[in-house]
Amino acid sequence: MLGTKDAGFHRIGNLDCLFAGPRSIFIRFYRHVLAGGAVKFLELPEEAESIAREILSAHEIDPDAPFVFFHNRTLAYVPGMTYHAYRTPKVETYQPSIRRLIEAGYRVIRIGEPGLDTMGFPPDAYVNIPDWGEVDRAVDLFVLARNAFGLAQNSGPIWVAGAFGRPVLRTNAPFEHMNMPYNDDLTLFKHYHVAGSAEPMRYRQILDAGIPAILFSDKIAEAGYEVRDNSPDELLAATEEMLDRTAGTWQRDVETDTAFRALGAEYEARIAADPDMQASNFAFYGYAHPFGSIARVTLEAQPGFLD
């Protein structure tokens, strides 16, 4: 159970060991940030950078040209284990966004599992590293550390990019307790529905139903809810907003962000008083705090979402 349970300090021989689960460590980190504590970002090791540059150059990819990293979460990395299926979108829905990034002068470099459709983009514009075969994983680290920004979902790579201080456009994002940006990322959330309903749920309904604490696809279904992907048009609109941010022409929608966080703060106040939530280290909700911004297309696609 090492690394999964909170059991405090214990002395083993000459070692003082802290038994702490990831969830409690994450929350301590975010509380540290909220209190004004400094965040020290990772630096890409020189050896990894050298290896990655050599591999990219061998594939006729200029490692110094501006690029966006793209990661599409799939279930291929753990076949048959579909408990997080609600977090996986269809790769083809990203085609308009990728085209727009290429038009804006970026090369799009995809990392992740092999076999996803390249969607017909020229190989010098859309680089599919997983289909190169076995390559040193230093390439992935370089891509996550040296990008202009990322286009991805809530999965491992966004946290690595964040640890290097790189911004990410988080798309098809679920409402989860542990989905907490700390680099002022822009987030486009998935749509939640009562099962079989054409009308998406409003944010207050999602929070009142306690959905952010339901972390498994089968449990969401058992509770009577569905999680639906962002449309290609929504993804494109969020991509345009991220390009504006990168260009320095973007202005924060303070009213929307404030309303979004206020609803999150109400929810956090409820779960903070819940003994079960306290016992499971779930009595903290990242979106109650000033981390990141909600993509504007959220309210355009779903008027009244924050009412």
Side-chain angles (χ1 to χ4, degrees):
M1 302 307 291
L2 183 64
T4 65
K5 294 292 183 181
D6 293 304
F9 279 101
H10 292 272
R11 187 164 185 81
I12 303 176
N14 294 324
L15 299 176
D16 289 318
C17 299
L18 171 61
F19 291 82
R23 195 178 296 165
S24 62
I25 295 173
F26 292 161
I27 292 174
R28 284 203 298 270
F29 166 71
Y30 284 107
R31 292 198 186 282
H32 163 80
V33 175
L34 285 170
V39 177
K40 184 177 181 180
F41 295 109
L42 298 180
E43 296 288 341
L44 185 65
E46 291 183 7
E47 182 181 3
E49 175 142 7
S50 177
I51 292 171
R53 285 179 171 275
E54 182 177 343
I55 293 172
L56 290 169
S57 297
H59 284 81
E60 300 183 347
I61 304 299
D62 179 0
D64 294 312
F67 69 89
V68 171
F69 89 81
F70 173 53
H71 178 257
N72 190 83
R73 182 183 173 92
T74 76
L75 297 176
Y77 68 104
V78 190
M81 299 182 70
T82 60
Y83 51 87
H84 278 173
Y86 68 96
R87 293 166 60 183
T88 60
K90 295 180 175 64
V91 67
E92 58 268 20
T93 60
Y94 285 87
Q95 188 170 28
S97 294
I98 293 171
R99 182 180 296 110
R100 180 67 185 95
L101 293 172
I102 293 171
E103 290 172 352
Y106 291 101
R107 175 178 281 120
V108 178
I109 301 181
R110 188 179 77 82
I111 59 175
E113 288 81 41
L116 289 185
D117 185 6
T118 60
M119 296 179 281
F121 294 112
D124 60 339
Y126 180 78
V127 180
N128 222 345
I129 288 180
D131 288 345
W132 287 356
E134 291 294 328
V135 296
D136 195 298
R137 298 305 294 274
V139 176
D140 285 356
L141 285 178
F142 180 92
V143 169
L144 292 169
R146 295 288 185 257
N147 59 80
F149 60 89
L151 171 64
Q153 302 91 42
N154 183 29
S155 194
I158 69 168
W159 301 101
V160 180
F164 283 115
R166 306 312 306 150
V168 178
L169 169 56
R170 299 173 174 219
T171 59
N172 279 296
F175 290 105
E176 294 180 347
H177 282 222
M178 295 294 103
N179 189 2
M180 300 178 283
Y182 56 89
N183 285 333
D184 202 26
D185 289 341
L186 183 66
T187 301
L188 175 63
F189 293 96
K190 284 198 171 193
H191 301 286
Y192 287 73
H193 294 250
V194 173
S197 172
E199 187 71 20
M201 299 171 70
R202 297 185 178 188
Y203 190 35
R204 186 182 294 278
Q205 291 176 290
I206 294 168
L207 296 177
D208 287 348
I211 294 176
I214 307 175
L215 301 183
F216 303 105
S217 296
D218 59 342
K219 298 300 181 183
I220 293 175
E222 287 173 11
Y225 304 107
E226 297 175 3
V227 186
R228 301 180 188 173
D229 290 356
N230 298 136
S231 71
D233 287 343
E234 290 173 322
L235 293 169
L236 178 58
T239 301
E240 291 282 6
E241 187 173 355
M242 193 68 178
L243 286 170
D244 288 343
R245 291 186 63 164
T246 305
T249 58
W250 177 84
Q251 290 186 333
R252 185 184 300 277
D253 187 336
V254 176
E255 183 178 353
T256 295
D257 282 351
T258 300
F260 177 69
R261 290 166 184 160
L263 288 171
E266 292 179 15
Y267 173 69
E268 187 182 65
R270 292 198 303 273
I271 62 176
D274 187 324
D276 291 336
M277 290 290 187
Q278 294 172 7
S280 61
N281 278 317
F282 254 16
F284 180 89
Y285 185 56
Y287 292 121
H289 303 284
F291 298 127
S293 291
I294 184 172
R296 289 173 182 159
V297 70
T298 301
L299 300 188
E300 296 169 4
Q302 192 176 336
F305 179 67
L306 297 179
D307 292 347

